[in-house]
Amino acid sequence: MKFNTKAIHGGQENIDPAYNSVMPPIYQTSTFKQDKIGNHPEFEYSRSGNPTRAAFEKSIASLENGTYGLAFGSGLAAIDAVLKLLKPGDEVVCTSDLYGGSYRLFTKIYEDFGIKFRFIDMSEAAKIEQYINEDTKLIWVETPTNPMMNIIDVQAVAGISKSHKILLAVDNTFATPYLQRPLGLGADIVMHSATKYLGGHSDVVMGALVVKEESLAKKLYFIQNASGAVPGPQDCFLALRGVKTLHVRMQRHCENGKSIAHFLKSHANVERVYWPGFDDHPSHQIATKQMTDYGGMVSFTTKKGTMDSAVNVVERLKVFTLAESLGGVESLAGHPATMTHASIPKEEREKTGVVDSLIRLSVGIEDIDDLIADLEQALI
Ligand code: P1T
């Protein structure tokens, strides 16, 4: 089955054995009747499993070309489940430029449990080797990175993780399986904030993991059930409904993202535009190799280079909404330094390019003329 067909039908066989409904029913129940003691039905308690959740989990597993999908109450809950595979003394090598909430979870929660995180620039995969030692158990990659749009060569990193028998997890939130499928490039775990493009309508907070290997799936399922950060059935229904249009939405996000990246690049009041589709983006070739298009996320700095100049632009926007998050049908604008990446100390975030004049756009699927006119009037 090809991707566009899978987005609608992947993993959805026999979703309603009771009435053959075409869309999965929302099984809004915490528990399921058991016929007799010791005779465990497929679903017995909704933390352990729920049919609506299973429909979403099978869908995302199918889209990522994985075998097992696991849904969580948020993207961070999904990351948290991966980190629970580790023990005190273990080390994680991760991208230095990543979502501020991931950084906060790593440094403010897991460092206290004795896990060490090495934040490094992974633009040259070979350089990762020097940060690996016998305690390294996980490599955490975000690509494209949030918000600097750096691209990490997943296949090259997988070569290193495999040679050291270390798990490789890829946060695929920005790209989605429409643009890149990390398991096929050698990753062990794919992670999503389903709050973003998968859900696609800014109406649900959810996360997901997808793996291929059964023993890893069993460990993660144990954590999912034992820790219990699961989404409710209604949220799973919404996320699944979103996934069914992922391919058409992503196509438009990419088209609009490209037009806006080019518009910004030629604008006198813009200093620098970060978008992997440009020939002069430092990892353009890797992006072209591992992604089928360049996505709908675009970051840029103002020519004036000040906090005020960026704040003025985002506050003047009318079609773009000033808000956290990304990946919905509507265009959003954010100011990473004070919003999504505020939990990263200023010196740390500035090293990766998250300066006060940086603006991040999640380009939606509105008419491109209205989006460009909005930016034009805001960039005065
Ligand atoms: O918000 P939540 O569903 O918990 O997902 C966390 C997360 C994980 N990974 C990436 C790459 C993300 O971008 C996010 C959430 N990001 C935002 C809310 C944001 O505006 O960047």
Side-chain angles (χ1 to χ4, degrees), residues 183-199:
L183 295 177
L185 300 170
D188 302 288
I189 303 172
V190 174
M191 175 263 150
H192 280 282
S193 168
T195 317
K196 310 296 173 344
Y197 289 105
L198 296 184

Side-chain angles (χ1 to χ4, degrees), residues 265-342:
K265 200 172 191 181
S266 61
H267 200 287
N269 295 343
V270 170
E271 178 67 31
R272 200 160 157 199
V273 185
Y274 299 89
W275 179 69
F278 290 132
D279 291 349
D280 60 357
H281 181 286
S283 313
H284 177 67
Q285 286 184 350
I286 300 166
T288 306
K289 180 182 77 165
Q290 78 184 10
M291 298 167 76
T292 51
D293 207 335
Y294 305 106
M297 297 299 296
V298 182
S299 298
F300 68 100
T301 49
T302 59
K303 189 71 123 201
K304 283 189 186 149
T306 59
M307 167 87 83
D308 279 355
S309 63
V311 169
N312 286 341
V313 171
V314 291
E315 288 186 351
R316 271 197 290 263
L317 289 165
K318 295 191 175 86
V319 181
F320 282 83
T321 303
L322 172 61
E324 304 256 351
S325 205
L326 58 110
V329 288
E330 69 294 315
S331 292
L332 300 180
H335 182 243
T338 56
M339 295 167 73
T340 47
H341 293 69

Side-chain angles (χ1 to χ4, degrees), residues 38-341:
N39 199 4
H40 296 290
E42 184 182 358
F43 298 104
E44 50 187 23
Y45 184 59
S46 282
R47 170 163 39 72
S48 316
N50 172 287
T52 319
R53 190 174 100 207
F56 170 77
E57 291 176 330
K58 286 180 185 161
S59 162
I60 184 64
S62 155
L63 286 184
E64 287 287 5
N65 291 340
T67 321
Y68 305 91
L70 298 124
F72 293 86
S74 68
L76 281 173
I79 303 176
D80 184 76
V82 176
L83 297 175
K84 285 187 171 120
L85 294 166
L86 306 175
K87 297 198 169 44
D90 286 351
E91 294 194 10
V92 181
V93 173
C94 42
T95 34
S96 51
D97 164 30
L98 82 174
Y99 171 55
S102 309
Y103 178 90
R104 182 177 54 196
L105 178 66
F106 293 174
T107 57
K108 298 278 172 18
I109 306 279
Y110 278 94
E111 276 186 356
D112 284 353
F113 288 99
I115 292 166
K116 187 166 178 183
F117 294 86
R118 293 172 184 269
F119 295 93
I120 64 160
D121 170 9
M122 290 194 190
S123 51
E124 275 178 67
K127 286 197 179 154
I128 299 174
E129 290 271 5
Q130 59 189 289
Y131 299 95
I132 292 177
N133 61 43
E134 59 188 17
D135 294 324
T136 314
K137 298 288 155 46
L138 175 68
I139 300 180
W140 186 269
V141 166
E142 204 179 279
T143 182
T145 59
N146 180 358
M148 297 311 299
M149 308 302 297
N150 289 314
I151 304 293
I152 317 299
D153 187 336
V154 175
Q155 201 162 22
V157 179
I160 295 166
S161 68
K162 284 199 186 345
S163 72
H164 292 275
K165 298 193 167 51
I166 299 169
L167 285 177
L168 170 60
V170 175
D171 182 336
N172 205 23
T173 300
F174 268 37
T176 84
Y178 176 78
L179 296 178
Q180 90 191 353
R181 291 181 283 280
L183 295 177
L185 300 170
D188 302 288
I189 303 172
V190 174
M191 175 263 150
H192 280 282
S193 168
T195 317
K196 310 296 173 344
Y197 289 105
L198 296 184
H201 297 76
S202 304
D203 53 9
V204 66
V205 173
M206 243 179 84
L209 299 176
V210 181
V211 300
K212 261 186 170 168
E213 205 222 314
E214 189 180 357
S215 63
L216 184 56
K218 280 187 172 155
K219 283 184 201 163
L220 289 167
Y221 173 71
F222 183 85
I223 293 167
Q224 183 197 38
N225 184 42
S227 291
V230 293
Q234 180 117 14
D235 285 354
C236 293
F237 174 86
L238 285 172
L240 183 60
R241 186 168 71 160
V243 164
K244 285 175 192 281
T245 55
L246 179 67
H247 51 304
V248 280
R249 287 184 288 108
M250 286 309 291
Q251 199 177 349
R252 183 64 67 86
H253 283 297
C254 291
E255 275 170 33
N256 284 357
K258 180 179 182 181
S259 300
I260 284 182
H262 283 280
F263 163 78
L264 291 171
K265 200 172 191 181
S266 61
H267 200 287
N269 295 343
V270 170
E271 178 67 31
R272 200 160 157 199
V273 185
Y274 299 89
W275 179 69
F278 290 132
D279 291 349
D280 60 357
H281 181 286
S283 313
H284 177 67
Q285 286 184 350
I286 300 166
T288 306
K289 180 182 77 165
Q290 78 184 10
M291 298 167 76
T292 51
D293 207 335
Y294 305 106
M297 297 299 296
V298 182
S299 298
F300 68 100
T301 49
T302 59
K303 189 71 123 201
K304 283 189 186 149
T306 59
M307 167 87 83
D308 279 355
S309 63
V311 169
N312 286 341
V313 171
V314 291
E315 288 186 351
R316 271 197 290 263
L317 289 165
K318 295 191 175 86
V319 181
F320 282 83
T321 303
L322 172 61
E324 304 256 351
S325 205
L326 58 110
V329 288
E330 69 294 315
S331 292
L332 300 180
H335 182 243
T338 56
M339 295 167 73
T340 47
H341 293 69

